[in-house]
Amino acid sequence: MANKTLFSAAFSRFLPRTDAVNEAGGAAYAYGPEAKLAQLAATGTLSDGFYSGADAQLADVLSAARAVSPDFVAKAAVYARKSGAMKDMPALLAAYLTVADPDLAVPVFGRVIDNGRMLRNFVQIMRSGQVGRRSLGSRPKRLVREWLEKASMPQLMAAATGNDPSLADIVRIVHPAPASADRRAFYGWLIGKPYDVAALPAEIAAFEAWKRDPKGALPPVPFEWLTAFPLTAGQWAELAGRMGWQALRMNLNTLARNGAFDVKGATAKVASRLADADTIARVRPAPYQLMVAMGQVGEAVPLRVQAALEEALELSLATVPVLAGHVVVCPDVSGSMSSAATGYRKGATSVVRCIDIAALVAAAVLRTNRRARVMPFDVDVVGMALDPKARVAVNAARLAAIGGGGTNVSAPLARLNAERAKVDTVVIVSDNESWIDPTRRGATATMIEWNKLKARNPGAKLICIDIQPYGTTQAKDRQDIMNVGGFTDAVFDAMARFASGETRDWVEIVNETEV
């Protein structure tokens, strides 16, 4: 009799053969050109990863961009910025379009370059020569000049906070034509050229006066301009009410160290700002940023403020969907997941690990879907009981503390099959670098195990959340399988739409993006 393992019609029929080897050496499926670009745009940070370097990532994204239409590049850039809250990748794709499709680059620039930091990213990338030119060129220069002309003084001051290039460098490159005396004076002040002191914008004039006497009222300039001066506790408390929400989240220890919370009313005001639902809905902080902030606050930060951070985390997860039926969420807790989620970059490596994000997604799904089953895995499924009524931060911290071992993405599916479990939706959160799975001819073990599960649960759907830009997956897209990349609330939206049958795949969601 023929070998049943090799020739089993039940498990091999319709299963695609693997066509790639992942970074860990395991059999895998390569993303199609559009899916690969979308994945890179939503997760790539142009930094060194666990398996590959920043140079390889840059080469990958430019190669993927050339393999698709400029129209899809434009949609991926806007999706990555507006839905994925990414920074470097949208700027890179906008710069690429200035060469690939200069006309299309114009609306993309307007949608993607939405603040001073993004403007500096764009100019830096253009001047690097990586997209095919070392100078801005006439049209990109015009786009940058128009951005400067339309920007308000607060926007320009925010843009002037940062270097490489600085806003002064950009002004020297594009030579904006000031439309008013105060704008002309500001540019002169910025680049160190003679200017009319009497025409300085009120904010800059107040800053110059305050520098001569730092004991007076704080001028209305970015808080970063003031922190190099000796400030009183009261002035620090004032800054706490003035700085942006994200800056407030990141500077709690600094405020505590400088006595801001000793000022009457400061603690209540900071806590109120951090937990304000309307502000969180507008700012859309990444939930993992809040979880990390909670872990980093020192003992000097008042408990009321720490509690507000936890409340902010809960509010930031308002978009986590309720999934119908039997839900299983599988966070990858293997060794490679201990790497920095946004990669390694000298002086700017994030403390957020991939495992933190996977754990947070699992805990968030459990909070919304109280009957969901959580199956962390590395080489095999890791046994752990979580309380669905516990706060998200508590369950996420427990999961993130596991860590270690190789990667076997098929392990939770194999366990579900061994149990003959009833399943409607499986969510796997991983870097997709599976290599321990049992070797099979043709398909990955993940696809084989999923097909076995589908035989018992015909309506089941598999959602694979890929949080690293390596370009391969263990489960190929089809009507019941979606691969989605990223680690913002856009992932939860994509998950809900797919589970409800609203969309077929993630590329379809990106294609719906307006440019």
Side-chain angles (χ1 to χ4, degrees):
M1 181 178 290
N3 187 319
K4 291 184 179 180
T5 301
L6 295 180
F7 301 107
S8 170
F11 298 147
S12 63
R13 190 181 183 191
F14 305 128
L15 289 183
R17 299 180 66 87
T18 57
D19 55 10
V21 175
N22 63 29
E23 299 289 346
Y29 301 103
Y31 285 125
E34 290 185 338
K36 183 175 182 179
L37 181 63
Q39 169 67 15
L40 285 161
T43 64
T45 57
L46 300 175
S47 301
D48 293 338
F50 187 86
Y51 289 104
S52 63
D55 290 343
Q57 194 178 124
L58 175 62
D60 280 349
V61 72
L62 292 176
S63 175
R66 296 185 189 104
V68 303
S69 68
D71 184 62
F72 189 80
V73 174
K75 291 176 178 179
V78 176
Y79 176 88
R81 180 60 185 157
K82 297 303 183 183
S83 296
M86 300 299 285
K87 301 178 181 66
D88 292 350
M89 282 296 182
L92 172 62
L93 295 178
Y96 167 82
L97 285 170
T98 65
V99 176
D101 192 327
D103 291 337
L104 190 54
V106 175
V108 171
F109 182 95
R111 297 273 282 142
V112 167
I113 309 304
D114 52 11
N115 62 34
R117 176 173 177 173
M118 292 298 295
L119 184 74
R120 296 198 308 273
N121 285 351
F122 175 81
V123 173
Q124 179 187 8
I125 290 168
M126 290 293 298
R127 296 178 70 197
S128 72
Q130 294 289 355
V131 298
R133 62 196 310 170
R134 289 193 174 276
S135 62
L136 290 185
S138 58
R139 187 173 305 197
K141 275 188 177 180
R142 175 172 59 81
L143 291 173
V144 173
R145 279 197 298 267
E146 289 176 351
W147 190 97
L148 294 172
E149 291 165 2
K150 294 176 182 178
S152 64
M153 187 51 57
Q155 288 174 319
L156 288 173
M157 290 190 298
T161 305
N163 296 294
D164 300 323
S166 65
L167 184 63
D169 295 330
I170 294 173
V171 168
R172 294 188 186 98
I173 292 169
V174 303
H175 305 292
S180 60
D182 63 341
R183 191 61 62 99
R184 182 178 295 105
F186 171 73
Y187 289 145
W189 172 86
L190 183 69
I191 64 176
K193 295 289 186 179
Y195 60 89
D196 181 359
V197 175
L200 273 180
E203 299 94 333
I204 304 301
F207 177 57
E208 289 297 318
W210 181 84
K211 286 196 296 184
R212 293 189 292 271
D213 182 17
K215 297 179 182 179
L218 294 178
V221 297
F223 82 94
E224 295 94 339
W225 295 15
L226 307 175
T227 55
F229 297 88
L231 303 178
T232 66
Q235 289 173 320
W236 277 104
E238 183 180 345
L239 284 183
R242 179 188 297 185
M243 65 179 65
W245 192 94
Q246 292 281 28
L248 179 62
R249 170 195 50 96
M250 297 169 63
N251 284 278
L252 295 175
N253 288 334
T254 300
L255 293 170
R257 188 168 57 251
N258 288 280
F261 295 117
D262 297 330
V263 177
K264 184 178 180 180
T267 295
K269 289 179 180 178
V270 169
S272 177
R273 285 194 66 197
L274 288 173
D276 182 71
D278 292 337
T279 301
I280 291 170
R282 174 176 54 81
V283 175
R284 290 178 57 204
Y288 72 85
Q289 294 175 325
L290 290 164
M291 187 175 72
V292 171
M294 290 168 57
Q296 289 184 325
V297 291
E299 294 181 359
V301 176
L303 291 177
R304 184 173 179 179
V305 173
Q306 296 184 41
L309 272 179
E310 188 168 359
E311 180 62 26
L313 173 61
E314 296 284 337
L315 290 168
S316 73
L317 293 167
T319 58
V320 178
V322 175
L323 303 174
H326 298 80
V327 178
V328 182
V329 57
C330 312
D332 181 350
V333 295
S334 64
S336 62
M337 295 288 284
S338 64
S339 62
T342 55
Y344 301 97
R345 186 182 298 180
K346 187 176 181 180
T349 298
S350 170
V351 299
V352 184
R353 303 168 301 164
C354 294
I355 195 172
D356 296 319
I357 293 173
L360 182 59
V361 171
V365 171
L366 180 62
R367 186 200 66 164
T368 305
N369 303 267
R370 294 292 176 87
R371 296 184 179 181
R373 181 177 180 183
V374 178
M375 300 177 68
F377 68 92
D378 46 29
V379 175
D380 201 349
V381 173
V382 179
M384 172 175 284
L386 299 176
D387 180 2
K389 296 180 181 179
R391 303 284 280 185
V392 168
V394 173
N395 281 332
R398 288 194 63 199
L399 286 167
I402 303 173
T407 310
N408 184 355
V409 171
S410 66
L413 298 178
R415 177 69 62 86
L416 291 170
N417 284 328
E419 298 173 356
R420 302 191 61 80
K422 182 172 178 56
V423 175
D424 293 291
T425 304
V426 176
V427 180
I428 297 176
V429 193
S430 175
D431 61 1
N432 269 334
E433 294 306 300
S434 195
W435 59 277
I436 294 182
D437 311 59
T439 302
R440 300 291 180 94
R441 292 179 180 270
T444 61
T446 300
M447 285 296 291
I448 292 171
E449 294 295 343
W450 178 248
N451 256 35
K452 291 179 183 179
L453 188 146
K454 284 284 291 185
R456 296 190 326 278
N457 303 277
K461 291 192 174 183
L462 175 62
I463 300 170
C464 301
I465 301 177
D466 192 350
I467 57 179
Q468 288 289 272
Y470 295 131
T472 62
T473 179
Q474 290 295 296
K476 199 171 183 66
D477 281 333
R478 65 186 195 188
Q479 190 171 3
D480 59 327
I481 301 173
M482 178 177 72
N483 288 279
V484 58
F487 31 82
T488 66
D489 57 359
V491 171
F492 295 126
D493 175 66
M495 180 166 47
R497 293 177 63 180
F498 181 73
S500 66
E502 186 179 337
T503 57
R504 288 192 313 106
D505 57 41
W506 185 35
V507 169
E508 183 179 330
I509 293 173
V510 175
N511 262 319
E512 293 172 356
T513 304
E514 292 185 13
V515 175

